[in-house]
PDB file of all heavy atoms in Angstrom:
ATOM      1  N   ALA A   1       0.828  -1.206   0.000  1.00 97.00           N
ATOM      2  CA  ALA A   1       0.000   0.000   0.000  1.00 97.00           C
ATOM      3  C   ALA A   1       0.863   1.258   0.000  1.00 97.00           C
ATOM      4  O   ALA A   1       0.523   2.257  -0.651  1.00 97.00           O
ATOM      5  CB  ALA A   1      -0.941  -0.005   1.201  1.00 97.00           C
ATOM      6  N   THR A   2       1.979   1.231   0.723  1.00 95.00           N
ATOM      7  CA  THR A   2       2.892   2.375   0.737  1.00 95.00           C
ATOM      8  C   THR A   2       3.480   2.618  -0.647  1.00 95.00           C
ATOM      9  O   THR A   2       3.582   3.759  -1.111  1.00 95.00           O
ATOM     10  CB  THR A   2       4.030   2.148   1.754  1.00 95.00           C
ATOM     11  OG1 THR A   2       3.465   2.047   3.060  1.00 95.00           O
ATOM     12  CG2 THR A   2       5.020   3.306   1.730  1.00 95.00           C
ATOM     13  N   GLN A   3       3.857   1.540  -1.334  1.00 94.00           N
ATOM     14  CA  GLN A   3       4.355   1.677  -2.698  1.00 94.00           C
ATOM     15  C   GLN A   3       3.298   2.332  -3.589  1.00 94.00           C
ATOM     16  O   GLN A   3       3.601   3.211  -4.405  1.00 94.00           O
ATOM     17  CB  GLN A   3       4.727   0.305  -3.267  1.00 94.00           C
ATOM     18  CG  GLN A   3       5.803  -0.454  -2.519  1.00 94.00           C
ATOM     19  CD  GLN A   3       7.174   0.165  -2.673  1.00 94.00           C
ATOM     20  OE1 GLN A   3       7.702   0.280  -3.772  1.00 94.00           O
ATOM     21  NE2 GLN A   3       7.751   0.582  -1.570  1.00 94.00           N
ATOM     22  N   ALA A   4       2.044   1.900  -3.425  1.00 96.00           N
ATOM     23  CA  ALA A   4       0.959   2.450  -4.247  1.00 96.00           C
ATOM     24  C   ALA A   4       0.790   3.944  -4.000  1.00 96.00           C
ATOM     25  O   ALA A   4       0.618   4.730  -4.945  1.00 96.00           O
ATOM     26  CB  ALA A   4      -0.347   1.712  -3.943  1.00 96.00           C
ATOM     27  N   ARG A   5       0.843   4.341  -2.735  1.00 96.00           N
ATOM     28  CA  ARG A   5       0.683   5.762  -2.427  1.00 96.00           C
ATOM     29  C   ARG A   5       1.835   6.586  -2.995  1.00 96.00           C
ATOM     30  O   ARG A   5       1.635   7.727  -3.440  1.00 96.00           O
ATOM     31  CB  ARG A   5       0.560   5.951  -0.917  1.00 96.00           C
ATOM     32  CG  ARG A   5      -0.783   5.474  -0.353  1.00 96.00           C
ATOM     33  CD  ARG A   5      -0.955   5.865   1.090  1.00 96.00           C
ATOM     34  NE  ARG A   5      -0.140   5.071   1.985  1.00 96.00           N
ATOM     35  CZ  ARG A   5      -0.535   3.936   2.557  1.00 96.00           C
ATOM     36  NH1 ARG A   5      -1.757   3.465   2.319  1.00 96.00           N
ATOM     37  NH2 ARG A   5       0.272   3.269   3.372  1.00 96.00           N
ATOM     38  N   MET A   6       3.037   6.025  -3.011  1.00 93.00           N
ATOM     39  CA  MET A   6       4.172   6.735  -3.593  1.00 93.00           C
ATOM     40  C   MET A   6       4.023   6.859  -5.106  1.00 93.00           C
ATOM     41  O   MET A   6       4.355   7.891  -5.700  1.00 93.00           O
ATOM     42  CB  MET A   6       5.474   6.023  -3.223  1.00 93.00           C
ATOM     43  CG  MET A   6       5.806   6.079  -1.751  1.00 93.00           C
ATOM     44  SD  MET A   6       7.343   5.213  -1.323  1.00 93.00           S
ATOM     45  CE  MET A   6       8.547   6.316  -2.029  1.00 93.00           C
ATOM     46  N   ILE A   7       3.522   5.803  -5.740  1.00 93.00           N
ATOM     47  CA  ILE A   7       3.317   5.836  -7.182  1.00 93.00           C
ATOM     48  C   ILE A   7       2.348   6.954  -7.559  1.00 93.00           C
ATOM     49  O   ILE A   7       2.517   7.640  -8.563  1.00 93.00           O
ATOM     50  CB  ILE A   7       2.802   4.465  -7.672  1.00 93.00           C
ATOM     51  CG1 ILE A   7       3.929   3.427  -7.605  1.00 93.00           C
ATOM     52  CG2 ILE A   7       2.242   4.549  -9.093  1.00 93.00           C
ATOM     53  CD1 ILE A   7       3.462   1.990  -7.753  1.00 93.00           C
ATOM     54  N   LYS A   8       1.348   7.155  -6.730  1.00 95.00           N
ATOM     55  CA  LYS A   8       0.339   8.179  -7.020  1.00 95.00           C
ATOM     56  C   LYS A   8       0.874   9.603  -6.865  1.00 95.00           C
ATOM     57  O   LYS A   8       0.164  10.566  -7.176  1.00 95.00           O
ATOM     58  CB  LYS A   8      -0.884   7.976  -6.124  1.00 95.00           C
ATOM     59  CG  LYS A   8      -1.649   6.688  -6.429  1.00 95.00           C
ATOM     60  CD  LYS A   8      -2.960   6.618  -5.688  1.00 95.00           C
ATOM     61  CE  LYS A   8      -3.973   7.584  -6.293  1.00 95.00           C
ATOM     62  NZ  LYS A   8      -5.313   7.433  -5.671  1.00 95.00           N
ATOM     63  N   LEU A   9       2.122   9.749  -6.404  1.00 92.00           N
ATOM     64  CA  LEU A   9       2.737  11.065  -6.295  1.00 92.00           C
ATOM     65  C   LEU A   9       3.427  11.507  -7.583  1.00 92.00           C
ATOM     66  O   LEU A   9       3.823  12.660  -7.713  1.00 92.00           O
ATOM     67  CB  LEU A   9       3.769  11.064  -5.158  1.00 92.00           C
ATOM     68  CG  LEU A   9       3.241  10.845  -3.739  1.00 92.00           C
ATOM     69  CD1 LEU A   9       4.402  10.773  -2.759  1.00 92.00           C
ATOM     70  CD2 LEU A   9       2.261  11.923  -3.334  1.00 92.00           C
ATOM     71  N   VAL A  10       3.603  10.582  -8.527  1.00 88.00           N
ATOM     72  CA  VAL A  10       4.351  10.888  -9.746  1.00 88.00           C
ATOM     73  C   VAL A  10       3.439  11.580 -10.762  1.00 88.00           C
ATOM     74  O   VAL A  10       2.446  11.001 -11.183  1.00 88.00           O
ATOM     75  CB  VAL A  10       4.941   9.608 -10.358  1.00 88.00           C
ATOM     76  CG1 VAL A  10       5.787   9.943 -11.583  1.00 88.00           C
ATOM     77  CG2 VAL A  10       5.778   8.860  -9.323  1.00 88.00           C
ATOM     78  N   PRO A  11       3.761  12.810 -11.178  1.00 89.00           N
ATOM     79  CA  PRO A  11       2.872  13.550 -12.083  1.00 89.00           C
ATOM     80  C   PRO A  11       2.528  12.823 -13.375  1.00 89.00           C
ATOM     81  O   PRO A  11       1.385  12.885 -13.838  1.00 89.00           O
ATOM     82  CB  PRO A  11       3.650  14.846 -12.351  1.00 89.00           C
ATOM     83  CG  PRO A  11       4.480  15.044 -11.120  1.00 89.00           C
ATOM     84  CD  PRO A  11       4.881  13.655 -10.700  1.00 89.00           C
ATOM     85  N   ILE A  12       3.489  12.141 -13.990  1.00 87.00           N
ATOM     86  CA  ILE A  12       3.184  11.490 -15.267  1.00 87.00           C
ATOM     87  C   ILE A  12       2.310  10.257 -15.097  1.00 87.00           C
ATOM     88  O   ILE A  12       1.864   9.677 -16.084  1.00 87.00           O
ATOM     89  CB  ILE A  12       4.467  11.110 -16.047  1.00 87.00           C
ATOM     90  CG1 ILE A  12       5.256  10.020 -15.315  1.00 87.00           C
ATOM     91  CG2 ILE A  12       5.311  12.323 -16.335  1.00 87.00           C
ATOM     92  CD1 ILE A  12       6.354   9.430 -16.162  1.00 87.00           C
ATOM     93  N   PHE A  13       2.067   9.855 -13.866  1.00 91.00           N
ATOM     94  CA  PHE A  13       1.171   8.738 -13.621  1.00 91.00           C
ATOM     95  C   PHE A  13      -0.281   9.193 -13.432  1.00 91.00           C
ATOM     96  O   PHE A  13      -1.169   8.358 -13.269  1.00 91.00           O
ATOM     97  CB  PHE A  13       1.609   7.949 -12.386  1.00 91.00           C
ATOM     98  CG  PHE A  13       2.915   7.217 -12.550  1.00 91.00           C
ATOM     99  CD1 PHE A  13       3.618   6.776 -11.442  1.00 91.00           C
ATOM    100  CD2 PHE A  13       3.447   6.959 -13.802  1.00 91.00           C
ATOM    101  CE1 PHE A  13       4.819   6.095 -11.583  1.00 91.00           C
ATOM    102  CE2 PHE A  13       4.647   6.285 -13.957  1.00 91.00           C
ATOM    103  CZ  PHE A  13       5.333   5.850 -12.832  1.00 91.00           C
ATOM    104  N   LEU A  14      -0.519  10.481 -13.432  1.00 94.00           N
ATOM    105  CA  LEU A  14      -1.858  11.003 -13.211  1.00 94.00           C
ATOM    106  C   LEU A  14      -2.591  11.203 -14.527  1.00 94.00           C
ATOM    107  O   LEU A  14      -1.984  11.399 -15.588  1.00 94.00           O
ATOM    108  CB  LEU A  14      -1.792  12.314 -12.440  1.00 94.00           C
ATOM    109  CG  LEU A  14      -1.085  12.229 -11.075  1.00 94.00           C
ATOM    110  CD1 LEU A  14      -1.066  13.594 -10.409  1.00 94.00           C
ATOM    111  CD2 LEU A  14      -1.751  11.192 -10.175  1.00 94.00           C
ATOM    112  N   ALA A  15      -3.919  11.188 -14.464  1.00 96.00           N
ATOM    113  CA  ALA A  15      -4.738  11.256 -15.673  1.00 96.00           C
ATOM    114  C   ALA A  15      -4.468  12.511 -16.484  1.00 96.00           C
ATOM    115  O   ALA A  15      -4.579  12.499 -17.713  1.00 96.00           O
ATOM    116  CB  ALA A  15      -6.214  11.177 -15.300  1.00 96.00           C
ATOM    117  N   ALA A  16      -4.100  13.594 -15.804  1.00 94.00           N
ATOM    118  CA  ALA A  16      -3.869  14.856 -16.506  1.00 94.00           C
ATOM    119  C   ALA A  16      -2.766  14.755 -17.545  1.00 94.00           C
ATOM    120  O   ALA A  16      -2.714  15.548 -18.489  1.00 94.00           O
ATOM    121  CB  ALA A  16      -3.530  15.957 -15.503  1.00 94.00           C
ATOM    122  N   SER A  17      -1.883  13.761 -17.409  1.00 91.00           N
ATOM    123  CA  SER A  17      -0.787  13.613 -18.368  1.00 91.00           C
ATOM    124  C   SER A  17      -1.228  12.871 -19.628  1.00 91.00           C
ATOM    125  O   SER A  17      -0.463  12.769 -20.580  1.00 91.00           O
ATOM    126  CB  SER A  17       0.390  12.874 -17.720  1.00 91.00           C
ATOM    127  OG  SER A  17       0.072  11.519 -17.494  1.00 91.00           O
ATOM    128  N   SER A  18      -2.459  12.336 -19.626  1.00 94.00           N
ATOM    129  CA  SER A  18      -2.976  11.604 -20.790  1.00 94.00           C
ATOM    130  C   SER A  18      -4.391  12.066 -21.114  1.00 94.00           C
ATOM    131  O   SER A  18      -5.341  11.285 -21.057  1.00 94.00           O
ATOM    132  CB  SER A  18      -2.961  10.094 -20.503  1.00 94.00           C
ATOM    133  OG  SER A  18      -1.671   9.622 -20.224  1.00 94.00           O
ATOM    134  N   PRO A  19      -4.567  13.342 -21.459  1.00 94.00           N
ATOM    135  CA  PRO A  19      -5.922  13.882 -21.637  1.00 94.00           C
ATOM    136  C   PRO A  19      -6.710  13.253 -22.772  1.00 94.00           C
ATOM    137  O   PRO A  19      -7.940  13.276 -22.761  1.00 94.00           O
ATOM    138  CB  PRO A  19      -5.669  15.375 -21.890  1.00 94.00           C
ATOM    139  CG  PRO A  19      -4.274  15.432 -22.439  1.00 94.00           C
ATOM    140  CD  PRO A  19      -3.526  14.352 -21.716  1.00 94.00           C
ATOM    141  N   ASN A  20      -6.034  12.682 -23.770  1.00 94.00           N
ATOM    142  CA  ASN A  20      -6.723  12.111 -24.929  1.00 94.00           C
ATOM    143  C   ASN A  20      -6.771  10.587 -24.893  1.00 94.00           C
ATOM    144  O   ASN A  20      -7.064   9.946 -25.898  1.00 94.00           O
ATOM    145  CB  ASN A  20      -6.045  12.574 -26.217  1.00 94.00           C
ATOM    146  CG  ASN A  20      -6.052  14.083 -26.354  1.00 94.00           C
ATOM    147  OD1 ASN A  20      -7.054  14.725 -26.076  1.00 94.00           O
ATOM    148  ND2 ASN A  20      -4.920  14.641 -26.766  1.00 94.00           N
ATOM    149  N   ARG A  21      -6.512  10.039 -23.716  1.00 97.00           N
ATOM    150  CA  ARG A  21      -6.395   8.589 -23.600  1.00 97.00           C
ATOM    151  C   ARG A  21      -7.657   7.853 -24.053  1.00 97.00           C
ATOM    152  O   ARG A  21      -7.589   6.930 -24.874  1.00 97.00           O
ATOM    153  CB  ARG A  21      -6.073   8.228 -22.154  1.00 97.00           C
ATOM    154  CG  ARG A  21      -6.100   6.737 -21.865  1.00 97.00           C
ATOM    155  CD  ARG A  21      -5.790   6.448 -20.409  1.00 97.00           C
ATOM    156  NE  ARG A  21      -5.895   5.037 -20.111  1.00 97.00           N
ATOM    157  CZ  ARG A  21      -5.715   4.508 -18.902  1.00 97.00           C
ATOM    158  NH1 ARG A  21      -5.408   5.304 -17.893  1.00 97.00           N
ATOM    159  NH2 ARG A  21      -5.829   3.218 -18.719  1.00 97.00           N
ATOM    160  N   ASP A  22      -8.819   8.226 -23.543  1.00 97.00           N
ATOM    161  CA  ASP A  22     -10.040   7.489 -23.859  1.00 97.00           C
ATOM    162  C   ASP A  22     -10.450   7.683 -25.319  1.00 97.00           C
ATOM    163  O   ASP A  22     -10.927   6.727 -25.960  1.00 97.00           O
ATOM    164  CB  ASP A  22     -11.157   7.918 -22.914  1.00 97.00           C
ATOM    165  CG  ASP A  22     -10.923   7.460 -21.481  1.00 97.00           C
ATOM    166  OD1 ASP A  22     -10.201   6.462 -21.306  1.00 97.00           O
ATOM    167  OD2 ASP A  22     -11.431   8.102 -20.558  1.00 97.00           O
ATOM    168  N   ALA A  23     -10.270   8.881 -25.840  1.00 97.00           N
ATOM    169  CA  ALA A  23     -10.601   9.129 -27.250  1.00 97.00           C
ATOM    170  C   ALA A  23      -9.702   8.304 -28.162  1.00 97.00           C
ATOM    171  O   ALA A  23     -10.139   7.762 -29.185  1.00 97.00           O
ATOM    172  CB  ALA A  23     -10.473  10.615 -27.564  1.00 97.00           C
ATOM    173  N   TRP A  24      -8.428   8.211 -27.802  1.00 97.00           N
ATOM    174  CA  TRP A  24      -7.489   7.413 -28.588  1.00 97.00           C
ATOM    175  C   TRP A  24      -7.902   5.943 -28.561  1.00 97.00           C
ATOM    176  O   TRP A  24      -7.947   5.279 -29.614  1.00 97.00           O
ATOM    177  CB  TRP A  24      -6.084   7.580 -28.020  1.00 97.00           C
ATOM    178  CG  TRP A  24      -5.034   6.755 -28.705  1.00 97.00           C
ATOM    179  CD1 TRP A  24      -4.672   5.474 -28.391  1.00 97.00           C
ATOM    180  CD2 TRP A  24      -4.225   7.124 -29.828  1.00 97.00           C
ATOM    181  NE1 TRP A  24      -3.672   5.034 -29.233  1.00 97.00           N
ATOM    182  CE2 TRP A  24      -3.394   6.025 -30.126  1.00 97.00           C
ATOM    183  CE3 TRP A  24      -4.122   8.290 -30.586  1.00 97.00           C
ATOM    184  CZ2 TRP A  24      -2.460   6.064 -31.163  1.00 97.00           C
ATOM    185  CZ3 TRP A  24      -3.204   8.315 -31.624  1.00 97.00           C
ATOM    186  CH2 TRP A  24      -2.388   7.225 -31.896  1.00 97.00           C
ATOM    187  N   CYS A  25      -8.198   5.444 -27.394  1.00 97.00           N
ATOM    188  CA  CYS A  25      -8.567   4.037 -27.259  1.00 97.00           C
ATOM    189  C   CYS A  25      -9.801   3.707 -28.072  1.00 97.00           C
ATOM    190  O   CYS A  25      -9.901   2.629 -28.661  1.00 97.00           O
ATOM    191  CB  CYS A  25      -8.805   3.689 -25.795  1.00 97.00           C
ATOM    192  SG  CYS A  25      -9.308   1.981 -25.524  1.00 97.00           S
ATOM    193  N   ALA A  26     -10.741   4.632 -28.142  1.00 97.00           N
ATOM    194  CA  ALA A  26     -12.000   4.380 -28.846  1.00 97.00           C
ATOM    195  C   ALA A  26     -11.791   3.999 -30.309  1.00 97.00           C
ATOM    196  O   ALA A  26     -12.594   3.273 -30.896  1.00 97.00           O
ATOM    197  CB  ALA A  26     -12.894   5.616 -28.750  1.00 97.00           C
ATOM    198  N   THR A  27     -10.670   4.449 -30.890  1.00 96.00           N
ATOM    199  CA  THR A  27     -10.428   4.138 -32.299  1.00 96.00           C
ATOM    200  C   THR A  27      -9.202   3.259 -32.536  1.00 96.00           C
ATOM    201  O   THR A  27      -8.963   2.838 -33.665  1.00 96.00           O
ATOM    202  CB  THR A  27     -10.236   5.452 -33.097  1.00 96.00           C
ATOM    203  OG1 THR A  27      -9.185   6.224 -32.508  1.00 96.00           O
ATOM    204  CG2 THR A  27     -11.521   6.270 -33.087  1.00 96.00           C
ATOM    205  N   HIS A  28      -8.431   2.972 -31.473  1.00 96.00           N
ATOM    206  CA  HIS A  28      -7.175   2.235 -31.684  1.00 96.00           C
ATOM    207  C   HIS A  28      -7.026   0.965 -30.835  1.00 96.00           C
ATOM    208  O   HIS A  28      -5.993   0.311 -30.918  1.00 96.00           O
ATOM    209  CB  HIS A  28      -5.976   3.139 -31.358  1.00 96.00           C
ATOM    210  CG  HIS A  28      -5.793   4.291 -32.284  1.00 96.00           C
ATOM    211  ND1 HIS A  28      -6.467   5.489 -32.128  1.00 96.00           N
ATOM    212  CD2 HIS A  28      -5.019   4.447 -33.391  1.00 96.00           C
ATOM    213  CE1 HIS A  28      -6.111   6.324 -33.070  1.00 96.00           C
ATOM    214  NE2 HIS A  28      -5.250   5.722 -33.860  1.00 96.00           N
ATOM    215  N   HIS A  29      -8.016   0.616 -30.046  1.00 89.00           N
ATOM    216  CA  HIS A  29      -7.784  -0.478 -29.084  1.00 89.00           C
ATOM    217  C   HIS A  29      -7.523  -1.814 -29.734  1.00 89.00           C
ATOM    218  O   HIS A  29      -6.910  -2.690 -29.132  1.00 89.00           O
ATOM    219  CB  HIS A  29      -8.949  -0.591 -28.099  1.00 89.00           C
ATOM    220  CG  HIS A  29     -10.284  -0.763 -28.730  1.00 89.00           C
ATOM    221  ND1 HIS A  29     -10.690  -1.938 -29.315  1.00 89.00           N
ATOM    222  CD2 HIS A  29     -11.318   0.104 -28.864  1.00 89.00           C
ATOM    223  CE1 HIS A  29     -11.917  -1.795 -29.779  1.00 89.00           C
ATOM    224  NE2 HIS A  29     -12.328  -0.563 -29.526  1.00 89.00           N
ATOM    225  N   GLY A  30      -7.974  -2.041 -30.949  1.00 73.00           N
ATOM    226  CA  GLY A  30      -7.623  -3.256 -31.686  1.00 73.00           C
ATOM    227  C   GLY A  30      -8.295  -4.516 -31.202  1.00 73.00           C
ATOM    228  O   GLY A  30      -8.746  -4.613 -30.109  1.00 73.00           O
TER     229      GLY A  30
END
């Protein structure tokens, strides 16, 4: 659990770093 909480501190791991993620998946998930 401590590892998980530390991971959530990394900015590139947050949703804001992938704003087009769901739109991309909708046409590329394969």
Side-chain angles (χ1 to χ4, degrees):
T2 297
Q3 300 290 299
R5 288 189 286 270
M6 293 179 71
I7 288 167
K8 293 189 73 174
L9 295 176
V10 183
I12 67 169
F13 292 162
L14 302 179
S17 70
S18 300
N20 301 317
R21 173 181 176 182
D22 291 335
W24 177 272
C25 179
T27 55
H28 293 85
H29 55 74

